[in-house]
Amino acid sequence: MLNDRERQCLASMEEHLRHSDPRLVAGFRSLERARPRRVHPARPRTAHGSTHRSMHGAGPVPCVMLAVAMLLLLAGAATGAMTIVVGGIVMALLTLGVAATSAPRPGPGFA
């Protein structure tokens, strides 16, 4: 968290940038339209109603899969077995796929 002095300093820097470089401001506005802001689940949604997706919102299955993948990677590294390491990498990639394709769940998740 920023204190009041730091917030005022940041606000003055933002105001200076707005006046000194309008092309930079236009570039950031176009980025904001292309990629909506991420909103913390406990915070209210933006005016557009956008929220973000995360590993936590995917549910327990991807979290457990990721834990298993990390254990495989550690076991493979400890034993020097390349096939176990490759299995851990494949499992981690599958976890990303499951997390990306699963429906978002309401609530705070595991965080």
Side-chain angles (χ1 to χ4, degrees):
M1 296 282 309
L2 299 175
N3 62 33
D4 291 334
R5 192 183 113 260
E6 291 168 335
R7 281 190 208 124
Q8 289 173 351
C9 184
L10 183 61
S12 68
M13 287 190 298
E14 288 175 357
E15 190 67 27
H16 176 72
L17 271 174
R18 273 191 210 106
H19 292 298
S20 66
D21 197 354
R23 287 178 50 199
L24 178 69
V25 173
F28 276 112
R29 283 195 182 130
S30 67
L31 285 175
E32 185 177 7
R33 280 180 292 215
R35 182 175 164 217
R37 291 178 79 176
R38 292 183 178 182
V39 178
H40 191 275
R43 295 181 189 154
R45 294 178 183 222
T46 62
H48 302 101
S50 65
T51 59
H52 75 283
R53 294 186 56 154
S54 71
M55 185 77 170
H56 298 293
V61 173
C63 291
V64 171
M65 287 176 66
L66 187 61
V68 170
M70 294 300 118
L71 288 174
L72 283 172
L73 286 170
L74 284 173
T79 61
M82 193 57 141
T83 56
I84 297 175
V85 172
V86 171
I89 293 170
V90 169
M91 183 78 159
L93 292 174
L94 287 173
T95 300
L96 290 174
V98 169
T101 58
S102 64
R105 296 175 184 249
F110 287 101

